[in-house]
Structure formats: C-alpha cells, structure tokens
C-alpha cells in the first residue's frame, strides 16, 4: 500500500522505515527538509507540502499524521480535510486526546472522509521491535488498512498465547500480533491514554524502590543497619525469573550498568498529556486511581525537588522514548 506520513520525528520516521522494509510505499513530508532527504535515500517519495503530498497518492489517499498533540496535529488535520476527497483516510497516530478524535471523526464523516486514531507504543525501539497499536475507527476502514498494521506490528515473536483466551467470544486474534481494533473513533487513543497512565504507575514503583535501596546506606540509619547495595546487580537479578521483570526494568538495568548514580540525569521529569487525561477520565467515571494519581503528582513534584528515584524515571523515559529532561 502507499501511505503519506506527515511528521518524521523519532516515531514517524521509523514507522516509514519499517513500512518500506515491509514492501509498502511512502510519501513523506516534514518541515525539516533533511528528514525528508534521509528517507528519500531509503526509498520514500518526498513531498514539498500537503498539496504535493495529495497528488502523489492513490485514488483512496491515506494520510498518517504523526505530530505532537494540540495545534500541530489539529491544524494539519484541518488542512488535510480541506484537501481530501470522498473515500480518503486520515490517521492520527500521535497522542491526541480521545475526545478530539470523536469531534474530528464527525467532521470527517460530513465530507465522506474516514478518520482513524491509533495509540502507538514502541518508542525509539519500534523500528526493530515493532509497534503495539490500539486502533479506533470504523471496521471497514480498519480492515482495509490491515496490511499496514500487520507490517508495523511486532508479530507473535516468542510470547506464548494466553491460555484459553481465544475460547472467549469476540476476542481479536490480531492482539497476539501486537495490535487491536479497540472500537469506534476515539477508542484507540482512549486505550493508549490508560496505557500511559499505567506506565506512569509502573515507572514510579521502580523509581521509589530503587531510591529505597540506594538510601539504605544513609548515615541517618544506625551503622549496623546500613547496606551499601549494588543496584546494578539487583536490577540484573530481578530481570531473571522475578515476578517484577519487565522491559522497563530492562531499561533501568541498562542505565544503572552505565552509571549507578545516574549522574547524567537531574530527575526533572516531564508528564505527557495522557497521564493527566487518564486521571480526568477516572474522575468522570468515578473510578479510584490512587497509584496513577500519585505517579502523576510525583512528576509535578520532581520539577522543584529531585530524588534519586526521579533520576531513575528520567533514565527509563530516555531509554524507551529518547525523551530528554525538561529544562530547569
């Protein structure tokens, strides 16, 4: 299939590369010309703007927007909708607020244009590992795009299927490949929003745990109760057979192996919109979310008071997404 990608940053550029490797065609556009040039060298077709982009696509154009949430995505989708023809498809693969997807989908329907929202997880590792995708949109459109999703997804790999899962009515077999059709427009980003809220909680738990381990040698404790623990060894042993093993722990172990004190990180931790929105959704639904809320507020606190745990958080964020710390 031929697809247009608008936004060639850490995620967008590598999605294009994975699609090209899988035999698809890509027309690419970004405000930074060198990002276009790099992908043209790898087989993509460059475009000079949105008008040029539309002219280089098939009759049923597929536009994938991979830009920061807010005005960059909103303005681009508005412009694309003005240029789209009936039957075209607009995809938002960034981290937009799901209520914005619901609103945009209604605008698209009025022009007979399909709208798909995709919560995309995989970070800077997605090119090789594949991307976990949570997709919102009409069934016919999602099925039409399936060859693209199948190429992007991680595939079954070495993870065994969950016992008895497919015996339940309505299970999506594609989940075992690393992507699902979550529901109508907005559902994809809603699921990804909750995913990121959970991510906050998991990361905060690791951060606090390693902070407790490091602080065990504090001179505030009685001398015979102080332990100078090797954090690198602890992270490594937990990766092997422990019930708390995970990719986040793998990234923590890798960072600690380079420097147990994580000196390159100050611990000023940013929060993306999804963590905030997840708490708003919990309040709207009257669902208690103690851990997720505490994790979000811990990130706010990190901007005025840093702990070693905050440095662990920064190291994990840099590890999976290439996220740099907030300026102080």
């Amino acid at each position: 299939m031929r697809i247009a990608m608008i936004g060639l940053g850490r995620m967008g550029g590598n999605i294009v590369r994975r699609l090209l490797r899988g035999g698809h065609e890509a027309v690419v556009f970004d405000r930074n010309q060198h990002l276009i040039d790099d992908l043209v060298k790898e087989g993509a077709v460059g475009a000079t703007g949105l008008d040029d982009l539309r002219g280089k696509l098939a009759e049923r154009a597929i536009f994938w927007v991979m830009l920061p949430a807010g005005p960059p995505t909103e303005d681009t989708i508005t412009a694309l909708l003005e240029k789209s023809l009936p039957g075209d498809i607009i995809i938002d693969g960034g981290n937009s607020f799901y209520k914005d997807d619901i609103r945009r989908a209604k605008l698209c329907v009025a022009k007979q244009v399909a709208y798909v929202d995709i919560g995309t997880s995989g970070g800077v590792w997605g090119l090789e590992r594949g991307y976990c995708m949570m997709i919102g949109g009409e069934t016919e459109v999602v099925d039409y795009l399936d060859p693209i999703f199948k190429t992007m997804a991680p595939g079954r790999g070495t993870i065994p299927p969950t016992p008895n899962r497919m015996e339940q009515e309505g299970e999506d077999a594609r989940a075992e490949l690393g992507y699902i059709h979550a529901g109508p427009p907005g559902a994809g980003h809603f699921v990804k929003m909750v995913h990121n809220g959970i991510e906050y909680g998991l990361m905060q738990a690791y951060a606090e745990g390693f902070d407790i381990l490091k602080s065990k040698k504090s001179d505030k404790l009685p001398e015979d109760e102080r332990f100078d623990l090797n954090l690198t060894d602890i992270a490594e042993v937990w990766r092997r057979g422990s019930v708390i093993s995970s990719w986040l722990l793998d990234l923590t172990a890798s960072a600690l192996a380079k420097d147990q004190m994580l000196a390159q990180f100050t611990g000023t931790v940013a929060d993306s919109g999804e963590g905030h929105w997840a708490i708003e959704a919990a309040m709207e639904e009257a669902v208690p979310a103690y851990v997720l809320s505490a994790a979000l507020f811990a990130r706010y606190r990190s901007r005025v008071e840093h702990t070693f745990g905050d440095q662990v958080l920064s190291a994990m964020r840099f590890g999976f997404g290439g996220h740099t710390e907030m300026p102080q």
Side-chain angles (χ1 to χ4, degrees):
M1 301 182 79
R2 173 169 278 216
I3 184 171
M5 181 65 72
I6 301 125
L8 307 176
R10 287 190 300 261
M11 294 281 280
N14 279 344
I15 288 173
V16 169
R17 291 181 176 93
R18 189 167 176 92
L19 290 173
L20 291 173
R21 291 180 185 181
H24 299 279
E25 299 177 346
V27 184
V28 298
F29 175 69
D30 193 282
R31 290 183 178 180
N32 296 315
Q33 184 63 42
H34 75 92
L35 297 177
I36 299 175
D37 295 340
D38 288 347
L39 285 167
V40 167
K41 292 175 185 176
E42 298 179 47
V45 176
T48 59
L50 298 186
D51 287 319
D52 185 37
L53 199 73
R54 180 63 185 86
K56 292 177 177 177
L57 295 172
E59 183 175 340
R60 189 177 194 184
I62 304 169
F63 301 100
W64 185 307
V65 180
M66 204 66 180
L67 295 169
T73 293
E74 191 71 38
D75 294 347
T76 301
I77 291 177
T78 298
L80 285 174
L81 192 54
E82 293 175 356
K83 304 175 189 304
S84 296
L85 301 175
D88 286 353
I89 301 169
I90 296 176
I91 300 170
D92 179 5
N95 283 324
S96 290
F97 186 39
Y98 78 98
K99 291 184 180 180
D100 289 334
D101 295 312
I102 296 170
R103 171 179 51 80
R104 291 177 195 145
K106 293 175 182 176
L107 295 175
C108 287
V109 166
K111 289 201 65 173
Q112 297 179 285
V113 173
Y115 182 87
V116 175
D117 58 287
I118 304 178
T120 313
S121 183
V124 296
W125 299 84
L127 176 59
E128 302 301 332
R129 292 169 59 109
Y131 298 90
C132 173
M133 290 169 287
M134 297 135 270
I135 305 163
E138 298 304 322
T139 299
E140 179 272 329
V141 180
V142 174
D143 289 347
Y144 176 76
L145 296 170
D146 193 73
I148 291 171
F149 302 144
K150 193 170 185 179
T151 298
M152 287 178 56
R156 284 189 172 84
T158 59
I159 301 173
T162 300
N164 305 319
R165 193 185 78 85
M166 292 308 297
E167 295 178 8
Q168 304 298 318
E169 184 178 353
E171 305 293 345
D172 190 342
R174 294 171 293 191
E176 293 181 3
L177 301 178
Y179 66 106
I180 57 168
H181 180 198
H189 277 148
F190 183 81
V191 175
K192 177 60 162 47
M193 176 190 77
V194 177
H195 163 284
N196 281 27
I198 293 170
E199 177 187 295
Y200 277 35
L202 292 171
M203 292 174 70
Q204 186 65 29
Y206 283 123
E208 293 176 8
F210 278 99
D211 204 351
I212 294 169
L213 292 169
K214 176 180 177 291
S215 299
K216 188 58 176 169
K217 63 180 179 181
S218 170
D219 58 11
K220 296 177 182 178
L221 297 171
E223 187 172 355
D224 62 350
E225 294 181 12
R226 300 175 198 165
F227 303 146
D228 188 1
L229 300 168
N230 187 306
L231 303 186
T232 304
D233 287 349
I234 292 169
E236 188 64 24
V237 76
W238 283 352
R239 293 180 62 222
R240 303 175 185 280
S242 164
V243 296
I244 62 167
S245 59
S246 71
W247 186 33
L248 289 171
L249 181 59
D250 293 345
L251 295 170
T252 304
S254 178
L256 290 169
K258 294 175 183 175
D259 173 18
Q260 278 205 43
M261 296 297 103
L262 302 176
Q264 76 176 95
F265 301 103
T266 66
T268 305
V269 187
D271 66 285
S272 58
E274 301 94 329
H276 181 103
W277 299 331
I279 304 308
E280 286 186 346
M283 290 189 292
E284 289 175 356
E285 299 164 19
V287 174
Y290 307 109
V291 173
L292 275 59
S293 300
L296 175 64
F297 287 120
R299 294 195 178 198
Y300 295 162
R301 190 263 311 138
S302 79
R303 296 166 201 173
V304 293
E305 177 188 352
H306 310 313
T307 67
F308 180 72
D310 298 329
Q311 292 172 270
V312 175
L313 279 178
S314 287
M316 279 188 275
R317 294 185 79 249
F318 182 76
F320 67 73
H323 302 293
T324 55
E325 293 181 320
M326 294 183 64
Q328 296 190 70

